[in-house]
């Protein structure tokens, strides 16, 4: 629901509209939520402003849909990655590596997403669903490790996952602001060492 309580209308447009939405994501990532206009997307996609209005309605609805699309894609990629591992510790390491190596444009998109969600009820609700979906592969790996006797966690699984995800999210602003790079292996090693400790992995 938008702030006025009305659910946004999703408009038709087929494959071309989907291609344009990808352009919206790119422009939004570069210019930010507040500075992205129909004219900017029109220039990047070579699609007339009137066509964009037909595809998306308002500028706000276009940007909200782009944010939803980009962030949903990241969650789906994480879930797909998790399916490739039988060993719960290897799965957790892969998930952490994926999170810490998130490309800067994606971090920037998430920054815009969360900022916009703070002021938009529909987007805020979508963010809550995505957050749970993002956490789920971590929770599943921890629970499987406990059931198999590989982990002897010192804290509840949900608390452990909350801290790991928050630690990865903590890189967002330093990376977007170019205060550090995602190739900082010391950060990764500390995250994994902490995770192994609280899970009692190998204990």
């Amino acid at each position: 629901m938008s702030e006025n309580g009305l659910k946004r209308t999703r408009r038709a447009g087929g494959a071309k509209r989907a291609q344009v939405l990808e352009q919206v994501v790119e422009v939004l990532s570069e210019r930010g939520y507040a500075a992205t206009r129909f004219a900017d997307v029109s220039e990047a996609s070579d699609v007339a402003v009137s066509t964009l209005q037909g595809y998306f309605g308002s500028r706000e609805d276009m940007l909200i849909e782009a944010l939803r699309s980009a962030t949903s894609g990241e969650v789906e990629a994480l879930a797909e990655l998790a399916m490739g591992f039988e060993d719960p510790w290897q799965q957790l390491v892969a998930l952490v590596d994926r999170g810490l190596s998130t490309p800067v444009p994606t971090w920037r998109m998430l920054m815009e997403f969360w900022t916009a969600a703070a002021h938009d009820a529909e987007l805020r609700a979508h963010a809550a669903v995505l957050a749970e979906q993002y956490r789920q592969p971590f929770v599943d790996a921890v629970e499987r490790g406990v059931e198999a006797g590989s982990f002897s966690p010192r804290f509840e699984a949900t608390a452990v996952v909350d801290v790991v995800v928050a630690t990865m999210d903590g890189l967002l602003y330093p990376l977007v602001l170019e205060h550090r790079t995602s190739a900082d292996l010391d950060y990764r090693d500390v995250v994994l060492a902490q995770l192994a400790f609280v899970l009692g992995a190998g204990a």
Side-chain angles (χ1 to χ4, degrees):
M1 304 290 285
S2 60
E3 290 287 55
N4 60 12
L6 298 176
K7 185 175 178 59
R8 294 187 175 89
T9 300
R10 310 303 179 198
R11 302 182 178 221
K16 180 60 178 177
R17 183 183 185 279
Q19 293 174 358
V20 172
L21 186 61
E22 293 179 1
Q23 294 285 172
V24 179
V25 171
E26 291 183 13
V27 175
L28 178 55
S29 175
E30 289 299 319
R31 296 184 60 87
Y33 184 89
T36 299
R37 306 165 300 168
F38 272 132
D40 303 313
V41 177
S42 176
E43 181 178 354
S45 63
D46 198 28
V47 172
V49 169
S50 59
T51 301
L52 295 175
Q53 292 171 329
Y55 282 164
F56 303 107
S58 70
R59 166 194 171 277
E60 180 189 48
D61 284 354
M62 175 182 71
L63 299 182
I64 293 297
E65 186 172 348
L67 289 169
R68 288 170 60 103
S69 174
T71 51
S72 294
E74 187 64 20
V75 167
E76 291 166 5
L78 193 73
E80 183 176 350
L81 171 67
M83 293 173 61
F85 295 88
E86 290 295 330
D87 181 84
W89 175 251
Q90 291 180 356
Q91 179 178 336
L92 284 171
V93 172
L95 292 171
V96 168
D97 282 342
R98 165 79 190 196
L100 294 180
S101 63
T102 300
V104 172
T106 302
W107 279 126
R108 190 179 296 117
M109 180 62 64
L110 286 169
M111 181 174 68
E112 297 293 339
F113 175 73
W114 290 330
T115 300
H119 305 284
D120 184 277
E122 181 183 349
L123 197 57
R124 190 157 54 248
H126 182 63
V129 172
L130 285 179
E132 286 305 308
Q133 291 174 341
Y134 189 89
R135 292 173 68 260
Q136 197 57 50
F138 292 89
V139 173
D140 291 344
V142 172
E143 291 179 345
R144 287 197 303 109
V146 172
E147 291 173 2
S150 301
F151 301 154
S152 301
R154 292 171 167 82
F155 305 94
E156 291 291 334
T158 53
V160 172
V161 171
D162 284 342
V163 171
V164 171
V165 172
T167 300
M168 294 189 299
D169 289 344
L171 278 178
L172 186 152
Y173 281 97
L175 288 177
V176 170
L177 296 175
E178 300 180 348
H179 293 167
R180 67 185 303 137
T181 69
S182 57
D184 190 335
L185 296 181
D186 287 343
Y187 193 95
R188 171 195 185 263
D189 292 344
V190 171
V191 173
L192 291 177
Q194 289 180 328
L195 184 56
F197 173 76
V198 297
L199 289 179

